[in-house]
Amino acid sequence: MFGGGMARNLVKKAVAASVAAGAALVAVLALGATIFFALQLVVEPLAAAAITFLLFTVIALAVAMIFVTRSEAEDEVSEDDASGLGQRAFMLFKQRPILGTVAALAGGWIFLRNPALATMVAAAFTEKSHGRRRR
């Protein structure tokens, strides 16, 4: 069946991601408190808070800029190499959302009426053309 194993794996991944995000949040808060209390030994408490805030702001901006530039470079590469059916559908939704919605509704209707036909269409889209084979 469709949802059995795939849904279980998706839930496991979501739980793992939320646990990792929670642990990362606690680690960042503890690091911030450590930096604040270490700075408080040297400067006034208000200055220590401001320095800690500025430090974490700079780190957040640097990480955001790195991920934005990396995702833009990956988008350029992925647009040229959209080989799978899922990647093609994603690019269609990204570039033409109305056409993508209509195509998804039509695909769902075809799948409900004739699952074998939908399977053949999906196989045709995912099949890669192979050049001449050498013997």
Side-chain angles (χ1 to χ4, degrees):
M1 181 150 196
F2 172 70
M6 197 157 91
R8 238 180 269 128
N9 287 338
L10 186 62
V11 169
K12 286 180 184 179
K13 288 180 182 180
V15 168
S18 63
V19 167
L25 176 67
V26 169
V28 168
L29 288 174
L31 177 66
T34 303
I35 291 172
F36 170 73
F37 288 121
L39 285 172
Q40 202 174 21
L41 296 173
V42 180
V43 294
E44 295 290 322
L46 187 59
I51 292 170
T52 305
F53 171 75
L54 288 174
L55 176 69
F56 277 85
T57 303
V58 168
I59 291 171
L61 287 174
V63 169
M65 294 304 291
I66 289 169
F67 278 110
V68 165
T69 55
R70 185 178 296 166
S71 83
E72 287 176 356
E74 288 175 358
D75 285 345
E76 291 174 3
V77 171
S78 68
E79 287 178 4
D80 296 337
D81 189 33
S83 59
L85 181 62
Q87 291 174 343
R88 288 181 184 176
F90 177 73
M91 292 308 297
L92 179 66
F93 274 105
K94 187 176 174 183
Q95 293 173 352
R96 298 186 179 104
I98 295 174
L99 180 62
T101 305
V102 171
L105 290 173
W109 185 78
I110 289 171
F111 182 74
L112 288 175
R113 301 295 272 166
N114 191 353
L117 179 62
T119 305
M120 289 189 312
V121 169
F125 275 108
T126 57
E127 183 178 304
K128 290 185 178 180
S129 63
H130 301 290
R132 283 181 81 180
R133 294 185 182 182
R134 294 182 185 178
R135 292 187 182 192

